[in-house]
Short mmCIF file of all heavy atoms in Angstrom, two decimals:
data_model
loop_
_atom_site.label_atom_id
_atom_site.label_comp_id
_atom_site.label_asym_id
_atom_site.label_seq_id
_atom_site.Cartn_x
_atom_site.Cartn_y
_atom_site.Cartn_z
N ARG T 35 50.46 17.47 116.69
CA ARG T 35 51.76 17.37 117.28
C ARG T 35 51.67 17.02 118.77
O ARG T 35 52.61 16.49 119.34
CB ARG T 35 52.48 18.75 117.13
CG ARG T 35 52.60 19.20 115.64
CD ARG T 35 53.28 18.20 114.79
NE ARG T 35 54.73 18.21 115.02
CZ ARG T 35 55.55 17.42 114.41
NH1 ARG T 35 55.14 16.54 113.56
NH2 ARG T 35 56.84 17.51 114.70
N ASP T 36 50.59 17.30 119.40
CA ASP T 36 50.30 16.92 120.79
C ASP T 36 49.94 15.44 120.79
O ASP T 36 49.11 14.98 120.05
CB ASP T 36 49.17 17.75 121.30
CG ASP T 36 48.73 17.42 122.69
OD1 ASP T 36 48.68 16.23 123.09
OD2 ASP T 36 48.39 18.34 123.46
N LEU T 37 50.66 14.64 121.62
CA LEU T 37 50.39 13.19 121.66
C LEU T 37 48.94 12.83 121.97
O LEU T 37 48.36 11.93 121.40
CB LEU T 37 51.36 12.54 122.65
CG LEU T 37 51.27 10.97 122.74
CD1 LEU T 37 51.59 10.40 121.36
CD2 LEU T 37 52.22 10.45 123.76
N PHE T 38 48.32 13.60 122.87
CA PHE T 38 46.93 13.34 123.24
C PHE T 38 46.02 13.59 122.03
O PHE T 38 45.14 12.72 121.72
CB PHE T 38 46.50 14.19 124.40
CG PHE T 38 45.03 13.98 124.76
CD1 PHE T 38 44.70 12.84 125.49
CD2 PHE T 38 44.04 14.87 124.38
CE1 PHE T 38 43.34 12.65 125.88
CE2 PHE T 38 42.75 14.63 124.71
CZ PHE T 38 42.38 13.52 125.44
N ALA T 39 46.23 14.64 121.28
CA ALA T 39 45.42 14.93 120.12
C ALA T 39 45.66 13.85 119.04
O ALA T 39 44.70 13.43 118.35
CB ALA T 39 45.77 16.33 119.56
N TYR T 40 46.88 13.45 118.84
CA TYR T 40 47.23 12.41 117.89
C TYR T 40 46.51 11.07 118.23
O TYR T 40 45.90 10.45 117.39
CB TYR T 40 48.75 12.27 117.86
CG TYR T 40 49.32 11.24 116.94
CD1 TYR T 40 48.83 10.99 115.67
CD2 TYR T 40 50.39 10.42 117.40
CE1 TYR T 40 49.43 10.06 114.84
CE2 TYR T 40 50.96 9.48 116.57
CZ TYR T 40 50.46 9.28 115.32
OH TYR T 40 51.03 8.36 114.51
N ALA T 41 46.63 10.72 119.48
CA ALA T 41 45.98 9.46 119.95
C ALA T 41 44.47 9.53 119.85
O ALA T 41 43.82 8.56 119.47
CB ALA T 41 46.37 9.18 121.39
N ASN T 42 43.91 10.72 120.13
CA ASN T 42 42.46 10.88 120.00
C ASN T 42 42.01 10.79 118.52
O ASN T 42 40.99 10.14 118.21
CB ASN T 42 42.05 12.21 120.57
CG ASN T 42 40.54 12.36 120.72
OD1 ASN T 42 39.88 11.44 121.22
ND2 ASN T 42 39.99 13.48 120.27
N ALA T 43 42.74 11.41 117.64
CA ALA T 43 42.43 11.31 116.18
C ALA T 43 42.52 9.88 115.73
O ALA T 43 41.69 9.40 114.95
CB ALA T 43 43.37 12.22 115.38
N TRP T 44 43.52 9.17 116.19
CA TRP T 44 43.73 7.72 115.84
C TRP T 44 42.48 6.94 116.36
O TRP T 44 41.95 6.12 115.66
CB TRP T 44 44.98 7.22 116.42
CG TRP T 44 45.00 5.72 116.59
CD1 TRP T 44 44.89 5.09 117.77
CD2 TRP T 44 45.12 4.72 115.59
NE1 TRP T 44 44.90 3.71 117.59
CE2 TRP T 44 45.04 3.47 116.25
CE3 TRP T 44 45.29 4.72 114.22
CZ2 TRP T 44 45.16 2.26 115.56
CZ3 TRP T 44 45.37 3.52 113.55
CH2 TRP T 44 45.29 2.31 114.21
N ALA T 45 42.15 7.18 117.60
CA ALA T 45 41.07 6.43 118.19
C ALA T 45 39.70 6.63 117.45
O ALA T 45 38.97 5.70 117.30
CB ALA T 45 40.86 6.84 119.66
N GLU T 46 39.47 7.86 117.00
CA GLU T 46 38.25 8.12 116.23
C GLU T 46 38.24 7.31 114.92
O GLU T 46 37.19 6.74 114.58
CB GLU T 46 38.13 9.60 115.89
CG GLU T 46 37.82 10.48 117.11
CD GLU T 46 37.88 11.97 116.81
OE1 GLU T 46 38.28 12.33 115.69
OE2 GLU T 46 37.55 12.74 117.72
N ARG T 47 39.34 7.29 114.25
CA ARG T 47 39.39 6.54 113.00
C ARG T 47 39.35 5.01 113.26
O ARG T 47 38.69 4.30 112.51
CB ARG T 47 40.65 6.89 112.20
CG ARG T 47 40.49 8.26 111.57
CD ARG T 47 41.85 8.92 111.32
NE ARG T 47 41.73 10.22 110.70
CZ ARG T 47 41.38 11.33 111.31
NH1 ARG T 47 41.23 11.31 112.63
NH2 ARG T 47 41.32 12.48 110.68
N HIS T 48 40.01 4.59 114.31
CA HIS T 48 40.01 3.19 114.70
C HIS T 48 38.58 2.72 114.96
O HIS T 48 38.11 1.69 114.45
CB HIS T 48 40.86 3.03 115.94
CG HIS T 48 40.92 1.69 116.56
ND1 HIS T 48 39.94 1.23 117.40
CD2 HIS T 48 41.83 0.72 116.50
CE1 HIS T 48 40.19 0.00 117.78
NE2 HIS T 48 41.36 -0.30 117.25
N ASP T 49 37.86 3.49 115.77
CA ASP T 49 36.46 3.16 116.11
C ASP T 49 35.56 3.16 114.88
O ASP T 49 34.63 2.33 114.77
CB ASP T 49 35.94 4.07 117.19
CG ASP T 49 36.64 3.87 118.55
OD1 ASP T 49 37.38 2.86 118.68
OD2 ASP T 49 36.46 4.70 119.42
N ALA T 50 35.77 4.13 113.95
CA ALA T 50 34.97 4.22 112.74
C ALA T 50 35.17 2.95 111.88
O ALA T 50 34.19 2.45 111.34
CB ALA T 50 35.32 5.45 111.98
N VAL T 51 36.40 2.50 111.77
CA VAL T 51 36.63 1.25 110.99
C VAL T 51 35.97 0.07 111.64
O VAL T 51 35.33 -0.75 110.97
CB VAL T 51 38.15 1.04 110.75
CG1 VAL T 51 38.41 -0.33 110.17
CG2 VAL T 51 38.76 2.14 109.92
N LEU T 52 36.08 -0.04 112.96
CA LEU T 52 35.45 -1.17 113.66
C LEU T 52 33.93 -1.11 113.55
O LEU T 52 33.30 -2.16 113.47
CB LEU T 52 35.87 -1.20 115.17
CG LEU T 52 37.27 -1.75 115.41
CD1 LEU T 52 37.49 -1.77 116.95
CD2 LEU T 52 37.42 -3.16 114.87
N ALA T 53 33.36 0.09 113.58
CA ALA T 53 31.91 0.21 113.48
C ALA T 53 31.40 -0.30 112.14
O ALA T 53 30.26 -0.83 112.10
CB ALA T 53 31.52 1.65 113.71
N MET T 54 32.15 -0.20 111.09
CA MET T 54 31.68 -0.65 109.79
C MET T 54 32.07 -2.11 109.51
O MET T 54 31.67 -2.68 108.50
CB MET T 54 32.26 0.21 108.70
CG MET T 54 33.78 0.12 108.51
SD MET T 54 34.42 1.21 107.27
CE MET T 54 33.63 0.67 105.79
N THR T 55 32.75 -2.77 110.41
CA THR T 55 33.21 -4.09 110.25
C THR T 55 32.14 -5.12 110.73
O THR T 55 31.69 -5.07 111.84
CB THR T 55 34.49 -4.36 111.06
OG1 THR T 55 35.48 -3.40 110.70
CG2 THR T 55 35.09 -5.74 110.84
N PRO T 56 31.80 -6.07 109.82
CA PRO T 56 30.87 -7.11 110.21
C PRO T 56 31.48 -8.01 111.32
O PRO T 56 32.70 -8.12 111.36
CB PRO T 56 30.65 -7.91 108.92
CG PRO T 56 31.15 -7.09 107.81
CD PRO T 56 32.16 -6.15 108.45
N ALA T 57 30.67 -8.64 112.09
CA ALA T 57 31.16 -9.45 113.21
C ALA T 57 32.07 -10.58 112.72
O ALA T 57 33.05 -10.91 113.41
CB ALA T 57 29.96 -10.04 113.98
N ASP T 58 31.76 -11.16 111.56
CA ASP T 58 32.62 -12.24 111.04
C ASP T 58 34.05 -11.82 110.73
O ASP T 58 34.96 -12.65 110.76
CB ASP T 58 32.00 -12.81 109.76
CG ASP T 58 30.66 -13.44 109.96
OD1 ASP T 58 30.28 -13.65 111.12
OD2 ASP T 58 30.00 -13.71 108.97
N LEU T 59 34.24 -10.56 110.44
CA LEU T 59 35.54 -10.06 110.08
C LEU T 59 36.28 -9.30 111.20
O LEU T 59 37.38 -8.88 111.04
CB LEU T 59 35.42 -9.12 108.86
CG LEU T 59 34.71 -9.66 107.63
CD1 LEU T 59 34.52 -8.57 106.61
CD2 LEU T 59 35.50 -10.84 107.07
N ARG T 60 35.61 -9.12 112.29
CA ARG T 60 36.10 -8.23 113.39
C ARG T 60 37.47 -8.63 113.91
O ARG T 60 38.35 -7.79 114.06
CB ARG T 60 35.08 -8.13 114.51
CG ARG T 60 35.38 -7.05 115.45
CD ARG T 60 34.21 -6.87 116.43
NE ARG T 60 34.52 -5.79 117.33
CZ ARG T 60 34.04 -4.56 117.13
NH1 ARG T 60 33.29 -4.29 116.09
NH2 ARG T 60 34.33 -3.63 117.99
N ALA T 61 37.70 -9.87 114.20
CA ALA T 61 38.98 -10.32 114.79
C ALA T 61 40.18 -9.94 113.84
O ALA T 61 41.21 -9.46 114.31
CB ALA T 61 38.98 -11.80 115.10
N GLY T 62 39.99 -10.23 112.58
CA GLY T 62 41.10 -9.92 111.63
C GLY T 62 41.33 -8.41 111.49
O GLY T 62 42.49 -7.96 111.41
N VAL T 63 40.24 -7.67 111.49
CA VAL T 63 40.36 -6.18 111.38
C VAL T 63 41.00 -5.61 112.60
O VAL T 63 41.84 -4.69 112.55
CB VAL T 63 39.02 -5.55 111.07
CG1 VAL T 63 39.09 -4.03 111.14
CG2 VAL T 63 38.55 -5.97 109.66
N GLU T 64 40.63 -6.16 113.77
CA GLU T 64 41.22 -5.65 115.05
C GLU T 64 42.75 -5.91 115.01
O GLU T 64 43.53 -5.04 115.44
CB GLU T 64 40.63 -6.31 116.25
CG GLU T 64 39.25 -5.78 116.56
CD GLU T 64 38.52 -6.53 117.72
OE1 GLU T 64 38.95 -7.65 118.00
OE2 GLU T 64 37.58 -5.92 118.27
N ALA T 65 43.13 -7.06 114.53
CA ALA T 65 44.57 -7.32 114.44
C ALA T 65 45.28 -6.40 113.48
O ALA T 65 46.40 -5.92 113.74
CB ALA T 65 44.76 -8.81 114.00
N ARG T 66 44.64 -6.10 112.33
CA ARG T 66 45.25 -5.21 111.36
C ARG T 66 45.37 -3.80 111.90
O ARG T 66 46.39 -3.10 111.75
CB ARG T 66 44.43 -5.18 110.08
CG ARG T 66 44.58 -6.50 109.32
CD ARG T 66 43.65 -6.59 108.17
NE ARG T 66 44.00 -5.62 107.09
CZ ARG T 66 43.24 -5.45 106.01
NH1 ARG T 66 42.16 -6.22 105.83
NH2 ARG T 66 43.58 -4.59 105.11
N LEU T 67 44.35 -3.32 112.66
CA LEU T 67 44.38 -2.01 113.28
C LEU T 67 45.48 -1.99 114.34
O LEU T 67 46.17 -0.95 114.47
CB LEU T 67 43.00 -1.67 113.91
CG LEU T 67 41.91 -1.27 112.92
CD1 LEU T 67 40.56 -1.28 113.60
CD2 LEU T 67 42.22 0.10 112.38
N ARG T 68 45.63 -3.06 115.09
CA ARG T 68 46.69 -3.11 116.09
C ARG T 68 48.06 -2.99 115.45
O ARG T 68 48.92 -2.25 115.92
CB ARG T 68 46.56 -4.39 116.93
CG ARG T 68 47.66 -4.50 117.93
CD ARG T 68 47.37 -5.57 118.97
NE ARG T 68 48.53 -5.87 119.81
CZ ARG T 68 49.16 -5.03 120.57
NH1 ARG T 68 48.83 -3.77 120.58
NH2 ARG T 68 50.22 -5.44 121.31
N ARG T 69 48.25 -3.67 114.35
CA ARG T 69 49.56 -3.58 113.67
C ARG T 69 49.81 -2.16 113.18
O ARG T 69 50.94 -1.63 113.25
CB ARG T 69 49.61 -4.63 112.53
CG ARG T 69 49.80 -6.03 113.00
CD ARG T 69 50.12 -6.98 111.88
NE ARG T 69 49.09 -7.09 110.91
CZ ARG T 69 48.08 -8.00 110.95
NH1 ARG T 69 47.98 -8.80 111.99
NH2 ARG T 69 47.20 -8.05 110.02
#
Side-chain angles (χ1 to χ4, degrees):
R35 304 304 283 179
D36 175 322
L37 184 58
F38 179 78
Y40 177 43
N42 191 47
W44 157 256
E46 289 173 355
R47 284 156 179 80
H48 176 279
D49 292 348
V51 171
L52 281 181
M54 69 183 297
T55 304
D58 295 348
L59 305 174
R60 193 170 182 96
V63 170
E64 285 175 341
R66 290 171 68 184
L67 284 167
R68 178 165 169 59
R69 286 191 296 271

